[in-house]
Amino acid sequence: MIVGLELLEMDFTRKLSFLVFLLCVLISLKNQNAETKKGSQAVSWSPYDAPSIFADPSPSWPMFLSTKLEKKVEEPDNLGSLRYDYYNESCPQAEQIIRTTVQELYKLRPNVSAALLRLVFHDCFVEGCDASVLLDAVNGIDSEKDSPPNESLKGFDLIDIIKLELEEACPGVVSCADIVVLAARESVVLAGGPFYPLHTGRRDSTVSFSEVAAYELPSPQDDLYKTIASFASRGFNGRETVALLGAHSTGMIHCKFFLNRLYNFAGTDEPDPSMDTEFLALLRSRCNNSHASSSPSSSPSSSSSPSLSPSPSSVIDSFSPSSLPLETGMKMDYEGPGLGFGTLYYQSLLQGRGILYVDQQLTAGEETENWVRAYASDVSLFRRDFALAMMKLSNLQVLTEPRGQVRLNCRLVI
């Protein structure tokens, strides 16, 4: 009997030892897997992991990165050394300075939101987000500013002012390319759109691409086929294209960009038949045939550069809206600034009230019209998709160290 108990005890001991061994193996494998995941997250993080695209901007926004969203995408291959909080040690207040400065400028002139939002698109769509659009023409080098699609582009003086603030706090640290994408993000928030996290660490281009800007930037006169093809050349699918055009929820559109739709559409001497008749009358009341040969009013924001010698605060104080000429055109947010960012834009398209031809054309295709209807009825879906598309736009073909440079003056190569 005693021998039997001893055998049972030995058998139990062996089984217990084996279980302990298995437990150790499992713990080891789990730790290895955790380290692998940790390492991969350090170099690759999917923007679809960030519910903070719906949250208000906050210094602690990375804490929002815990909730998983359904869809996954691959991280772009060209991000290089971009990372979150890139300036955490070299200029920890960088993003706050940009946010505060944009907010102060917005109080003086609310249309800065549209200017900065358009500026990031025109920069990133042409050879990537490298601040090449900010360069002036010097030493025989053509400037992207002088290309036809950029003649009415504004916001250059806004970037100059933000740069002055950053140079005072952290000389030679923050790139103009990062300023452009971060300022655009703050402009989206001020216009009523979503906040979204961004990598930083971009470097500035030493060359300009005026010919690319002249021929490859999408036109407000493009039909649906051209628009889809143009955005596809930059890696955007139909859904992302429809979402990005939601940026037209804010800003002023000069008459010359849609005048042909009002009086002589496609050479017919008739208005665009897709336009709502009441809306046509409204636009004609703002824009008559006398605007046909006029060009957008010049503005300090498109040409003049603040002196680099005054203090940043004095530059902002002199930024008076009363000194700016009035533009003749139509506000994209004609139903009220900051109200229903995106949703009202898509609802207007379904009613035949798109101001630009390129916008109204989104209802000309089955797939794109489906997304127009989806965004018109679901503001959360639009805000999510728009934020993700802006994150993708902001990461196009970026330059990272050791390529490029950090300009001291955003208009000039050092």
Side-chain angles (χ1 to χ4, degrees):
M1 188 69 177
I2 295 176
V3 174
L5 289 173
E6 289 177 346
L7 290 175
L8 287 173
E9 185 177 357
M10 292 175 62
D11 183 64
F12 175 79
T13 302
R14 285 196 297 269
K15 288 181 179 180
L16 181 61
S17 299
F18 181 71
L19 287 173
V20 171
F21 171 77
L22 282 179
L23 182 61
C24 292
V25 170
L26 289 173
I27 291 174
S28 177
L29 289 174
K30 183 177 181 180
N31 288 338
Q32 290 178 3
N33 186 47
E35 287 298 316
T36 301
K37 288 183 178 180
K38 182 179 178 181
S40 63
Q41 288 172 352
V43 297
S44 177
W45 174 81
S46 168
Y48 286 90
D49 288 334
S52 56
I53 59 178
F54 310 119
D56 291 329
S58 166
S60 61
W61 65 258
M63 296 297 292
F64 296 123
L65 304 183
S66 58
T67 303
K68 301 290 182 179
L69 299 179
E70 293 180 1
K71 187 177 178 182
K72 290 285 183 179
V73 293
E74 292 183 1
E75 190 76 6
D77 294 331
N78 63 338
L79 293 186
S81 59
L82 289 189
R83 65 177 185 270
Y84 297 101
D85 288 333
Y86 179 86
Y87 299 107
N88 185 48
E89 295 182 0
S90 58
C91 189
Q93 66 272 48
E95 293 194 27
Q96 184 58 49
I97 289 174
I98 294 173
R99 178 174 300 124
T100 301
T101 306
V102 172
Q103 290 172 348
E104 291 178 1
L105 293 171
Y106 179 80
K107 293 176 184 177
L108 296 172
R109 201 181 86 201
N111 66 348
V112 302
S113 289
L116 292 170
L117 189 50
R118 188 171 179 227
L119 191 62
V120 74
F121 179 83
H122 282 240
D123 182 39
C124 294
F125 210 84
V126 176
E127 299 299 318
C129 305
D130 57 5
S132 60
V133 74
L134 305 180
L135 290 171
D136 287 337
V138 292
N139 300 326
I141 299 177
D142 293 333
S143 170
E144 290 176 31
K145 297 178 183 179
D146 300 327
S147 63
N150 289 335
E151 288 177 351
S152 62
L153 199 61
K154 299 176 175 64
F156 302 110
D157 63 332
L158 308 176
I159 300 299
D160 291 332
I161 292 171
I162 297 170
K163 181 65 171 175
L164 282 172
E165 296 278 1
L166 288 166
E167 286 301 305
E168 184 175 81
C170 314
V173 174
V174 182
S175 70
C176 300
D178 274 341
I179 294 174
V180 170
V181 298
L182 291 170
R185 179 183 68 185
E186 302 310 321
S187 74
V188 168
V189 174
L190 291 172
F195 175 85
Y196 47 92
L198 286 173
H199 295 86
T200 43
R202 294 165 189 75
R203 303 267 285 185
D204 301 325
S205 173
T206 58
V207 295
S208 191
F209 306 96
S210 59
E211 188 170 344
V212 177
Y215 292 102
E216 297 189 20
L217 278 169
S219 166
Q221 311 297 339
D222 283 348
D223 60 22
L224 180 61
Y225 175 80
K226 288 183 179 179
T227 300
I228 293 297
S230 181
F231 279 81
S233 70
R234 269 41 177 195
F236 295 99
N237 59 30
R239 177 178 182 172
E240 293 166 329
T241 300
V242 177
L244 276 177
L245 284 176
H248 288 170
S249 295
T250 185
M252 169 76 77
I253 300 299
H254 192 273
C255 293
K256 79 167 191 173
F257 293 114
F258 57 88
L259 199 69
N260 65 315
R261 300 189 69 207
L262 310 184
Y263 299 99
N264 187 25
F265 180 70
T268 62
D269 287 328
E270 298 290 336
D272 184 345
S274 68
M275 295 190 72
D276 173 78
T277 54
E278 291 184 3
F279 192 58
L280 172 64
L282 173 62
L283 292 181
R284 280 181 166 180
S285 70
R286 303 289 181 89
C287 306
N288 55 45
N289 278 320
S290 65
H291 294 103
S293 59
S294 66
S295 59
S297 302
S298 60
S299 163
S301 60
S302 62
S303 58
S304 64
S305 173
S307 168
L308 296 182
S309 56
S311 66
S313 59
S314 66
V315 175
I316 293 178
D317 291 340
S318 66
F319 191 76
S320 171
S322 61
S323 64
L324 301 177
L326 296 176
E327 291 186 348
T328 304
M330 188 69 178
K331 289 184 177 181
M332 300 296 278
D333 51 353
Y334 56 88
E335 295 193 33
L339 299 176
F341 181 87
T343 302
L344 292 178
Y345 165 79
Y346 296 107
Q347 290 174 349
S348 296
L349 298 185
L350 295 176
Q351 298 167 1
R353 290 175 167 248
I355 300 176
L356 295 175
Y357 181 68
V358 68
D359 293 328
Q360 193 60 59
Q361 276 285 289
L362 293 180
T363 61
E366 182 179 357
E367 179 190 358
T368 53
E369 184 180 11
N370 286 339
W371 285 116
V372 169
R373 292 187 181 279
Y375 296 149
S377 61
D378 189 340
V379 63
S380 295
L381 177 65
F382 165 70
R383 290 171 67 85
R384 173 188 184 275
D385 283 5
F386 180 76
L388 293 170
M390 287 299 296
M391 292 165 69
K392 183 173 180 177
L393 174 71
S394 302
N395 287 336
L396 287 181
Q397 293 179 258
V398 297
L399 295 175
T400 57
E401 197 173 9
R403 298 180 300 163
Q405 62 179 215
V406 175
R407 298 183 208 141
L408 300 181
N409 180 339
C410 289
R411 296 171 180 259
L412 301 172
V413 174
I414 59 175

